[in-house]
């Protein structure tokens, strides 16, 4: 993917190098350091704007950002890449929502290492990237990029872009009220019946990732091989593989995701149409 000269998102919350802080993040609306932490943070010269997730004035992820974490050059490059991808999703979804007479609200992307506390509970990086509707944030441990390359055998920058776009797809579903509907369904159907809804939900996120990729292509941002990288990743990140990596933590985004074929099909379909009108995975699955 071509990223040169493009802005990164200001909606990045850098929690890398910090352990999970139980009870803090939700009450504080994103900072989660607690009062002592805030005082220490300010004493250390931190910007309270970035602490509260306002992003300060930075574009992209600052080296050794609000968390004080400084990764390897490769990690920082990846953080910058993810930041540009997030900014691109803000732009594309902002345009699509505007065309529909709606307003897109940017989600926050939390970078973390190891494990993280969200409104969806405590999660280990073993579950892979996820989106939590409760706080409208995406959670990504960048080491997943290496997993994609090595364990899932889906290398390439656009494989990672697909992963981010899929999680953003869940955010779009939240803004469209689909996540709320799902929460209601969950209360009235059995676990087994709910799995089918879950598959529809996941495949729709793949469709929405495809919609985004189509707009990237139209803007001239795709390079040769990018589409194939995304398809390979869509095929590789089956639900079973991700669940196997779980280690007993709460797993917010580990429902049944659909088969490799289904995931590739819906991503391609989103890429084909590039709109909100052809992604009714629920009807397609007979729901
Ligand atoms: Zn998902």
């Amino acid at each position: 993917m071509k990223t040169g000269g493009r802005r990164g998102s200001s909606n990045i919350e850098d929690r890398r190098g910090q352990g999970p802080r139980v009870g803090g993040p939700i009450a504080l609306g994103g900072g989660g350091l607690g009062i002592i932490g805030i005082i220490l943070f300010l004493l250390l010269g931190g910007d309270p704007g970035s602490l509260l997730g306002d992003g300060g004035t930075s574009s992209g992820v600052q080296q050794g950002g609000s968390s004080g974490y400084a990764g390897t050059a490769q990690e920082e490059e990846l953080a910058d890449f993810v930041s540009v991808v997030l900014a691109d999703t803000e732009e594309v979804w902002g345009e699509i929502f505007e065309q529909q007479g709606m307003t897109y609200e940017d989600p926050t992307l939390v970078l973390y290492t190891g494990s993280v506390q969200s409104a969806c509970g405590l999660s280990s990086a073993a579950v892979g990237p996820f989106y939590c509707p409760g706080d409208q944030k995406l959670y990504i441990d960048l080491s997943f990029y290496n997993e994609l390359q090595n364990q899932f055998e889906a290398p390439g920058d656009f494989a990672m872009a697909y992963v981010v776009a899929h999680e953003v797809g869940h955010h779009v579903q939240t803004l469209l009220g689909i996540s709320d509907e799902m929460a209601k369904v969950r209360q009235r159907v059995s676990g087994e019946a709910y799995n089918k809804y879950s598959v529809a939900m996941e495949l729709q996120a793949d469709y929405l990732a495809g919609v985004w990729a189509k707009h990237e292509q139209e803007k001239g941002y795709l390079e040769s091989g990018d589409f194939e990288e995304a398809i390979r990743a869509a095929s590789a990140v089956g639900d079973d593989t991700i669940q196997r990596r779980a280690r007993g933590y709460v797993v917010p985004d580990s429902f049944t995701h659909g088969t490799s074929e289904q995931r590739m099909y819906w991503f391609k379909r989103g890429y084909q149409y590039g709109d909100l009108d052809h992604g009714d995975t629920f009807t397609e699955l007979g729901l």
Side-chain angles (χ1 to χ4, degrees):
M1 190 177 114
K2 295 175 197 162
T3 58
R6 295 220 300 291
R7 74 174 183 97
S9 172
S10 57
N11 298 303
I12 304 267
E13 196 180 308
D14 194 352
R15 291 195 213 160
R16 291 177 297 165
Q18 306 169 15
R21 297 180 305 276
V22 179
I26 302 154
L28 267 171
L33 295 179
I35 291 300
I36 302 289
I38 288 170
I39 293 167
L40 276 175
F41 184 82
L42 294 174
L43 282 175
L44 293 169
D47 167 13
S50 68
L51 175 73
L52 294 171
D54 296 332
T57 54
S58 86
S59 63
V61 180
Q62 290 179 338
Q63 187 118 21
S66 62
S67 67
Y69 179 90
T72 62
Q74 194 206 354
E75 279 170 7
E76 295 310 317
E77 196 183 316
L78 185 57
D80 286 341
F81 173 75
V82 162
S83 177
V84 170
V85 169
L86 183 66
D88 283 2
T89 65
E90 291 164 358
E91 193 178 312
V92 166
W93 287 114
E95 288 164 5
I96 293 175
F97 270 58
E98 201 181 325
Q99 282 160 16
Q100 306 279 327
M102 299 181 290
T103 304
Y104 182 69
E105 294 159 36
D106 297 342
T108 296
L109 192 158
V110 178
L111 295 177
Y112 74 97
T113 46
S115 60
V116 71
Q117 180 74 34
S118 74
C120 295
L122 180 65
S123 302
S124 148
V127 304
F130 66 94
Y131 171 77
C132 177
D135 53 25
Q136 304 200 359
K137 293 181 181 182
L138 292 67
Y139 292 84
I140 296 182
D141 181 324
L142 293 173
S143 66
F144 188 72
Y145 180 73
N146 298 326
E147 276 186 56
L148 265 181
Q149 190 171 312
N150 302 323
Q151 278 91 36
F152 293 101
E153 297 177 349
D157 63 349
F158 211 72
M160 192 66 177
Y162 152 75
V163 168
V164 175
H166 171 94
E167 301 308 336
V168 170
H170 285 313
H171 177 66
V172 170
Q173 290 173 316
T174 295
L175 296 182
L176 294 176
I178 299 166
S179 304
D180 274 354
E181 286 303 314
M182 286 290 286
K184 284 179 203 160
V185 168
R186 188 164 209 174
Q187 293 189 331
R188 65 175 165 80
V189 306
S190 70
E192 201 178 317
Y194 182 76
N195 277 347
K196 215 170 166 188
Y197 285 90
S198 173
V199 169
M201 192 77 172
E202 292 301 329
L203 294 178
Q204 192 172 63
D206 284 335
Y207 174 85
L208 297 170
V211 169
W212 170 77
K214 175 64 179 173
H215 286 258
E216 288 289 279
Q217 187 262 329
E218 283 172 353
K219 288 171 192 282
Y221 296 159
L222 293 203
E223 293 173 309
S224 113
D226 279 348
F227 179 76
E228 290 75 16
E229 284 173 8
I231 290 295
R232 197 177 306 150
S235 169
V237 290
D239 176 60
D240 49 345
T241 314
I242 287 177
Q243 277 190 349
R244 219 177 300 129
R245 289 161 204 278
R247 295 284 186 274
Y249 292 98
V250 174
V251 185
D253 192 15
S254 70
F255 309 124
T256 307
H257 289 60
T259 65
S260 294
E261 285 77 9
Q262 283 177 312
R263 302 201 66 167
M264 288 189 287
Y265 170 80
W266 284 100
F267 178 84
K268 283 181 191 169
R269 190 176 162 91
Y271 189 84
Q272 181 185 349
Y273 289 103
D275 63 24
L276 282 175
D277 301 332
H278 297 82
D280 189 355
T281 53
F282 294 87
T283 300
E284 198 80 12
L285 293 180
L287 297 169

